[in-house]
Amino acid sequence: MTFVTKLRLQSGNRYELESEVSELKSMLERKGAECKGPHADPPKRITVPQYKSLQPGDAYSAWDYTVYSRKLEIHGNDHTAREVGHMDFPESLHVEIEVEQQKPAGHLRK
């Protein structure tokens, strides 16, 4: 059975995100891992209201920022995927890792 490790990296700093993703991609290629991506999602604009106190009423102007996102998939190569899972990423990056088990075609499910 093959495992697919899906990585989703998000940051408000597009340049740092691009740098980390390109370093990660080149490391995966050096180790011979089959990697799909990076795939970019459209930037998401976030607006957060800011209030002067905990009571309803006066508010400061809203805080606006953009979140950039990239997705990568590592097919097979479980050892390398495990290494990526234990890496230290900068605090400005949010990293989600999902592992999916893929069964061959025609495999009986129980």
Side-chain angles (χ1 to χ4, degrees):
M1 285 179 237
T2 304
F3 289 93
V4 176
T5 305
K6 298 178 180 182
L7 301 167
R8 183 176 182 172
L9 298 99
Q10 296 177 314
S11 180
N13 184 336
R14 186 172 79 190
Y15 301 106
E16 187 171 17
L17 176 67
E18 293 295 340
S19 173
E20 286 293 320
V21 168
S22 64
E23 285 180 30
L24 183 59
K25 175 86 173 173
S26 65
M27 183 207 63
L28 292 170
E29 289 173 348
R30 278 194 316 272
K31 295 192 177 241
E34 181 185 344
C35 179
K36 293 185 180 180
H39 304 289
D41 287 339
K44 191 185 300 182
R45 190 88 180 135
I46 308 288
T47 302
V48 180
Q50 300 184 86
Y51 299 100
K52 292 185 179 184
S53 68
L54 296 176
Q55 304 300 322
D58 292 336
Y60 296 109
S61 58
W63 177 39
D64 296 324
Y65 63 98
T66 304
V67 176
Y68 303 94
S69 180
R70 302 291 179 270
K71 294 179 184 175
L72 289 166
E73 289 185 4
I74 305 169
H75 292 261
N77 212 325
D78 302 336
H79 177 71
T80 304
R82 192 174 299 114
E83 280 183 41
V84 171
H86 290 287
M87 289 176 64
D88 288 328
F89 292 97
E91 286 188 22
S92 62
L93 252 64
H94 174 77
V95 181
E96 294 177 9
I97 301 174
E98 177 183 341
V99 179
E100 182 179 293
Q101 184 177 12
Q102 292 186 339
K103 298 182 180 179
H107 184 271
L108 295 176
R109 296 181 186 220
K110 294 182 179 182

